[in-house]
Amino acid sequence: MYQKKQRDGAEINAASMADIAFLLLFFFLVATTFPSDRGLTMILPPKQDEPPEKLINERNIFKILVNANGDLLVEEEPMDLRDVRKSVKTFVNNNGADPKSSDSPMDAVVSLKADRGTTYESYVQVLDQVKAAYHELRADDLDWTVDEYLEFNKDNASEEVKGRYKQVLDKYPLRISEADPNKGNDKE
Amino acid sequence: MAVFKKKSKSKPAISTAALPDIIFMLLFFFMVSTELKEDTVIVRNELPKATQLQELAEQTLTAFIYIGPPTDARFGTDPKIQLNDVFSNVGDITRFIEEKRAEMPENLKDKLEVSLKIDKETKMGLITDVKLELRKAEARKIQYTGNKVSDLGE
């Protein structure tokens, strides 16, 4: 008869476990990045072979021109970048008061035209200010701060908030017409 | 007077039994909170600063287009377009978008978004061409990726 050997349970040496875990950890450290992409979102106009015939009333177009030096021409007048946001806001929220500004936020269009030689940085700065104006208007309407507006995520919002968000988007639709810098017209 | 007798004891080894657990915790943290890198960027990519940045959809639904002067000066100093690890021309964008669409699940195909990572010194002429091409490819939802600042430096 074999006698069962009486031995206390042999310990499995777990010392190398840490090494294995370290290896995996380093792999993930090297091969991955934190998803930190944030940007200015835009919807481009649809592809079209012919310019649309729909005419927009002159008063509803807020024209911004950026030249190769980064200088701005807003509504035919030179303007400092810092004043863009305020003038876009007054223009959009005019509601027919000033005959030179928009009829209503729904009709307002911002035409942003950049020279082919303009740097991307100055273009983004102007676009940023225009978006800031709209975001402030929308945030005001929602009683949110601009930061709250920017952080808004459709996926984890309640139906009610989503409805209000959609409403405010319809109230202040951001319509930026990006004219083609090649041609000298604002047909797009 | 009390005499403390020094106990002679053999030094116990520091137990490293919990070390793997700690490392695993770190590991899981990185596995959950990071995403695999998709491209190696071969163009200079100094993003412009902006204040009104918003998050875009998941990485799997996003096509990345990098524009900037090549990091390696042998390829010139003019801004170039990088698609999928290689320098490309404006004309390649349509095909690139088609390929990206083909990889995506059927029900999400229209959710494709394009993230434009453009060096801030790039001229708008090239960017306009790219945008025109994106319109042709029906990839109209775009994002100009930037770095968040709370206020533009005056």
Side-chain angles (χ1 to χ4, degrees):
Chain A
M1 277 282 269
Y2 291 101
Q3 208 181 356
K4 226 180 186 173
K5 266 186 216 156
Q6 195 69 46
R7 56 175 174 193
D8 34 29
E11 256 181 58
I12 299 169
N13 189 354
S16 57
M17 184 81 102
D19 302 354
I20 297 165
F22 262 121
L23 271 175
L24 281 169
L25 176 66
F26 288 142
F27 168 75
F28 275 93
L29 275 176
V30 171
T32 63
T33 46
F34 278 100
S36 62
D37 276 356
R38 288 166 156 268
L40 299 169
T41 48
M42 291 275 293
I43 310 273
L44 295 176
K47 166 177 77 172
Q48 52 198 200
D49 302 320
E50 282 163 43
E53 288 305 306
K54 194 180 142 204
L55 285 170
I56 300 168
N57 196 335
E58 194 66 22
R59 67 182 282 189
N60 285 326
I61 306 175
F62 188 81
K63 289 196 199 106
I64 306 177
L65 268 103
V66 195
N67 77 358
N69 296 326
D71 302 327
L72 298 179
L73 195 68
V74 179
E75 297 279 68
E76 324 282 320
E77 272 171 49
M79 190 183 271
D80 199 89
L81 179 69
R82 267 168 283 182
D83 304 325
V84 171
R85 172 163 37 173
K86 226 177 121 207
S87 45
V88 172
K89 270 176 87 171
T90 19
F91 173 83
V92 173
N93 229 357
N94 180 51
N95 287 318
D98 183 345
K100 279 192 184 128
S101 298
S102 72
D103 284 321
S104 75
M106 262 90 91
D107 295 311
V109 174
V110 178
S111 155
L112 180 53
K113 204 161 129 185
D115 207 78
R116 277 191 86 85
T118 310
T119 59
Y120 178 58
E121 189 180 23
S122 36
Y123 171 80
V124 163
Q125 275 175 354
V126 179
L127 183 64
D128 192 47
Q129 290 302 307
V130 174
K131 291 204 81 157
Y134 269 88
H135 289 166
E136 276 175 22
L137 286 171
R138 289 176 186 168
D140 274 354
D141 201 73
L142 285 166
D143 255 331
W144 293 356
T145 64
V146 177
D147 282 329
E148 276 171 345
Y149 176 84
L150 291 175
E151 293 298 326
F152 176 78
N153 190 339
K154 267 188 205 136
D155 299 333
N156 43 32
S158 71
E159 283 302 321
E160 193 236 333
V161 178
K162 253 193 263 182
R164 282 177 60 206
Y165 183 78
K166 217 179 157 293
Q167 251 177 9
V168 85
L169 286 191
D170 290 338
K171 191 170 169 195
Y172 296 105
L174 173 53
R175 295 195 292 180
I176 296 185
S177 132
E178 294 189 75
D180 187 346
N182 276 333
K183 302 162 198 156
N185 57 32
D186 292 346
K187 284 244 176 82
E188 279 176 57
Chain B
M1 212 166 86
V3 177
F4 291 99
K5 201 179 165 192
K6 224 179 184 176
K7 271 186 214 153
S8 73
K9 55 178 176 186
S10 59
K11 266 188 199 160
I14 298 168
S15 166
T16 52
L19 188 58
D21 302 356
I22 296 163
I23 305 306
F24 270 118
M25 246 167 54
L26 278 172
L27 176 65
F28 290 143
F29 167 73
F30 277 97
M31 279 174 76
V32 169
S33 61
T34 62
E35 282 170 358
L36 279 172
K37 274 182 207 162
E38 295 247 308
D39 309 297
T40 320
V41 185
I42 50 173
V43 293
R44 199 181 69 195
N45 222 230
E46 238 176 85
L47 300 173
K49 294 188 185 78
T51 56
Q52 306 294 314
L53 303 176
Q54 279 169 302
E55 240 171 64
L56 205 64
E58 303 149 56
Q59 204 175 3
T60 46
L61 299 179
T62 312
F64 290 93
I65 295 179
Y66 304 87
I67 302 175
T71 345
D72 192 336
R74 278 178 298 177
F75 299 114
T77 49
D78 284 345
K80 280 186 156 56
I81 304 167
Q82 181 195 343
L83 307 170
N84 283 337
D85 290 339
V86 285
F87 294 126
S88 312
N89 298 317
V90 178
D92 298 328
I93 290 177
T94 319
R95 195 169 44 84
F96 169 72
I97 296 292
E98 287 309 319
E99 277 170 16
K100 190 79 195 172
R101 279 231 176 83
E103 286 170 17
M104 285 163 58
E106 202 64 48
N107 57 333
L108 296 172
K109 276 203 198 308
D110 55 334
K111 291 251 161 68
L112 177 75
E113 287 166 5
V114 180
S115 170
L116 294 167
K117 296 193 168 190
I118 305 173
D119 188 82
K120 60 185 184 185
E121 299 296 323
T122 312
K123 301 278 183 256
M124 282 309 290
L126 178 63
I127 298 165
T128 311
D129 296 343
V130 170
K131 279 197 291 195
L132 215 62
E133 208 61 33
L134 285 173
R135 283 170 62 184
K136 279 188 202 156
E138 287 295 326
R140 287 169 43 214
K141 207 163 180 198
I142 61 164
Q143 153 173 284
Y144 301 111
T145 312
N147 288 330
K148 177 103 178 165
V149 285
S150 55
D151 206 359
L152 284 181
E154 311 279 81

